[in-house]
Amino acid sequence: MRPARSPRRPVRHAVAATLLAAVPLAAQAPPAAASVELPAVPSLVAPDEPCTKGSTERAREETWTRQALGLKRAWSLADGGGVTVGVVDSGVGTAIPALGGRVTAVGDAGTDCVGHGSFAAGLIAAAPSDGVGMAGAAPGARILAVRGTDTRGTATADRLADGIRAAVDGGAKVVYVGRVVPDGKEVLTSAVEYAQKHDALVVVPFAPDALARDRSTGKTVEPAPWYWPAAVPGVLSVMDYGPDGTRPENAPQTGRADLAAPGDAVVSVGPSGAGHFIGSGSSFAAANVAGAAALVRSRNPGMSAAQVSRQLVAAAYPAVPPRLDPYAALTAVLTDRQAAVPDAPRADIPPEASPVPRRRALMIAGAGGMLVALVAGAAVVIPRGRARGWRPADHGDRPDPTTT
């Protein structure tokens, strides 16, 4: 039985008017120009369907995501060089020209029958070129392809957990996980904790790109309250938005996301060749965030994975959830970090003063006081004594017999 295609983009080809420049975050239609039809990238390939072939169409106009993310400004500071991003998905083609030989595969992950993993890898690290409007967020980063699904794109918790561990063991400092599942809490929590112990940042979509359909009824199943590994503490979960700043009405709504990024009507590479595809979903928004994380780690190699995650969220455009701003993440200096309190200098207490100077001062002061008293007394006594001829005071009270 053929799996249902995404209800978000039910047509095989989509008119890529959204490839043109659009004002970031503004609910405004892009300017009119010549359009080009691009094939839609699938999430799954049924057993009786052929593998996804390379596209013959190319996006020559600058995509709306490049302007929305301000990638040209960000590339003046960092391009992701020196950082390996693990792509845990359906695989990544190793002969994609835009990835320029920067793809290393674990096991058989160098082939991609679906195209989803290759599309995500292009959003992360495709290099810009003349006459091509599409480029990844971190064109200098390397890609480590790891199988997180079967060859037809079906994911399980065990496959995703094994893929996370393999990406970390392969040296990835940013691990992009392209799928989430409604179960597997224990095994995926353990895998994420393994990545955290090795200082690797795990970036995932907050929900599936599209909800599955019940095979018996054909109705879309209800969204789960949580998806894993998006709900694991420390994971950077990402929501998508489109060129008008909103999400499709039928996009899965569940839980909460740490960050939002362009994910609807985005353009990237296919599993082979130089052609392009168009796709929608939070998995592609997470790929843009993984590329931005590679930029931050490239510019600030001393930052831990937790610090990189905080930098991306704190420097983002204020919204609910915050919207990715790679240039701000590269340049912002967060001022709410608690600085270390310097140690107080040691107080040197002088020894107790000797009492000898004090005693000497008291003796001098006492002698001076006595001298002043003597001088004051002399000033009074001497004039009076001279006036009396130095006679006793009672001598003047008796009459002088010679004068009587």
Side-chain angles (χ1 to χ4, degrees), residues 37-383:
E37 289 187 350
L38 298 176
V41 63
S43 295
L44 298 170
V45 175
D48 57 345
E49 286 186 337
C51 291
T52 302
K53 296 181 180 180
S55 171
T56 58
E57 299 293 338
R58 301 178 72 181
R60 302 189 183 279
E61 300 291 338
E62 186 174 85
T63 61
W64 75 270
T65 56
R66 287 182 63 171
Q67 285 201 5
L69 296 176
L71 293 182
K72 286 184 178 179
R73 296 180 67 200
W75 294 338
S76 67
L77 301 174
D79 65 354
V83 178
T84 297
V85 180
V87 175
V88 182
D89 206 320
S90 60
V92 178
T94 56
I96 301 172
L99 294 176
R102 289 176 287 122
V103 179
T104 303
V106 175
D108 64 346
T111 59
D112 184 9
C113 178
V114 181
H116 191 278
S118 299
F119 191 97
L123 292 173
I124 295 170
S129 61
D130 294 337
V132 176
M134 182 272 156
R142 296 191 62 83
I143 297 295
L144 177 65
V146 182
R147 187 81 71 187
T149 70
D150 64 12
T151 57
R152 297 284 165 166
T154 300
T156 65
D158 288 332
R159 286 194 183 107
L160 294 176
D162 291 343
I164 292 172
R165 292 176 180 272
V168 173
D169 292 341
K173 288 303 180 183
V174 178
V175 179
Y176 162 79
V177 182
R179 312 299 175 101
V180 289
V181 290
D183 53 11
K185 174 181 178 180
E186 292 77 11
V187 66
L188 286 168
T189 298
S190 176
V192 169
E193 290 175 348
Y194 181 80
Q196 292 170 344
K197 289 179 181 178
H198 291 79
D199 193 35
L201 175 61
V202 179
V203 183
V204 303
F206 87 118
D209 291 345
L211 297 175
R213 293 185 181 274
D214 188 294
R215 292 187 177 183
S216 60
T217 65
K219 295 182 179 180
T220 302
V221 300
E222 292 295 323
W226 303 101
Y227 287 95
W228 307 93
V232 178
V235 163
L236 189 56
S237 61
V238 185
M239 178 188 290
D240 55 304
Y241 67 85
D244 63 352
T246 65
R247 303 184 71 221
E249 293 182 359
N250 55 356
Q253 303 283 348
T254 181
R256 61 173 297 275
D258 299 310
L259 202 59
D264 292 321
V266 294
V267 175
S268 187
V269 299
S272 61
H276 296 116
F277 289 76
I278 190 169
S280 291
S282 55
S283 66
F284 301 137
N288 278 316
V289 172
L295 293 180
V296 176
R297 299 216 83 163
S298 176
R299 181 170 170 82
N300 303 284
M303 275 190 178
S304 66
Q307 289 173 329
V308 172
S309 176
R310 180 173 177 271
Q311 188 81 8
L312 290 168
V313 174
Y317 183 87
V320 181
R323 297 195 169 186
L324 176 66
D325 187 339
Y327 184 79
L330 291 171
T331 57
V333 178
L334 304 184
T335 58
D336 58 343
R337 296 176 181 172
Q338 185 176 2
V341 178
D343 295 333
R346 179 179 178 181
D348 293 329
I349 301 176
E352 186 178 354
S354 173
V356 174
R358 182 172 179 271
R359 293 173 183 173
R360 184 180 296 115
L362 291 175
M363 292 176 63
I364 293 174
M370 292 177 64
L371 180 60
V372 169
L374 290 174
V375 171
V380 174
V381 172
I382 291 175

